């Protein structure tokens, strides 16, 4: 497991190169955000690995290019519009009532299965 210190593309690249060059490299990677995913993809392609044949990849966030890759990415997407709308609504409520209690709001993510994950039945 790798814990990223930041969400830069270069960090995704560096950490993925490290993982792929281990004695027992992973068979799958979960990337935490779009920018890191770009670095992960660069490292995978540089190592001449094929997705999903050699390594599976799942990304958090469904960035616009995810469906245009040779193996469209399986993703966990978050409801960006809903997050923005709720943030504005909560900010206005806070401005209008500064002593109001903080709220915890959970919004559902969506898991979209595409072709970047190897079917374990194929082994």
């Amino acid at each position: 497991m790798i814990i990223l210190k930041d969400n830069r593309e270069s960090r995704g690249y560096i950490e993925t190169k490290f993982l792929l060059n281990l004695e027992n490299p992973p068979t799958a990677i979960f990337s935490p955000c779009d920018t890191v995913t770009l670095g992960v993809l660069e490292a995978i392609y540089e190592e001449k690995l094929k997705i999903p044949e050699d390594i599976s990849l799942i990304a958090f966030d469904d960035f616009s290019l995810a469906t245009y890759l040779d193996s469209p990415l399986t993703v966990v997407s978050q409801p960006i519009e809903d997050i923005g709308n709720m943030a504005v609504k909560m900010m206005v409520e806070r401005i209008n009532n500064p002593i109001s209690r903080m709220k915890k709001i959970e919004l559902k993510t969506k898991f979209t299965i595409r072709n970047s994950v190897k079917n374990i039945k194929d082994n």
Side-chain angles (χ1 to χ4, degrees):
M1 176 169 68
I2 299 290
I3 306 291
L4 295 174
K5 296 179 176 98
D6 58 56
N7 290 335
R8 291 180 293 166
E9 183 177 335
S10 60
R11 181 54 56 190
Y13 173 83
I14 291 166
E15 299 296 347
T16 301
K17 290 292 275 190
F18 170 78
L19 288 171
L20 296 178
N21 286 289
L22 291 171
E23 185 175 324
N24 293 311
T27 58
I29 292 177
F30 179 83
S31 177
C33 67
D34 298 349
T35 52
V36 170
T37 300
L38 293 173
V40 171
L41 287 166
E42 182 181 359
I44 288 171
Y45 292 138
E46 191 174 276
E47 294 291 324
K48 300 194 182 348
L49 298 174
K50 295 196 181 296
I51 300 170
E53 294 86 351
D54 301 318
I55 190 160
S56 294
L57 178 60
I58 298 176
F60 189 81
D61 280 344
D62 192 4
F63 66 105
S64 60
L65 299 177
T67 59
Y68 296 104
L69 299 171
D70 288 340
S71 292
L73 286 182
T74 295
V75 296
V76 177
S77 54
Q78 52 186 329
I80 301 295
E81 270 190 49
D82 292 343
I83 291 170
N85 289 336
M86 290 304 297
V88 169
K89 182 180 175 184
M90 291 172 69
M91 183 176 64
V92 169
E93 284 178 15
R94 190 73 164 171
I95 290 169
N96 290 334
N97 188 2
I99 60 170
S100 64
R101 295 184 69 146
M102 296 296 287
K103 294 180 186 175
K104 178 180 177 182
I105 297 175
E106 293 182 23
L107 301 173
K108 293 187 185 266
T109 57
K110 180 181 175 190
F111 186 56
T112 305
I113 299 172
R114 296 190 183 119
N115 296 332
S116 67
V117 176
K118 185 174 183 178
N119 188 335
I120 58 171
K121 294 177 185 177
D122 293 343
N123 288 335

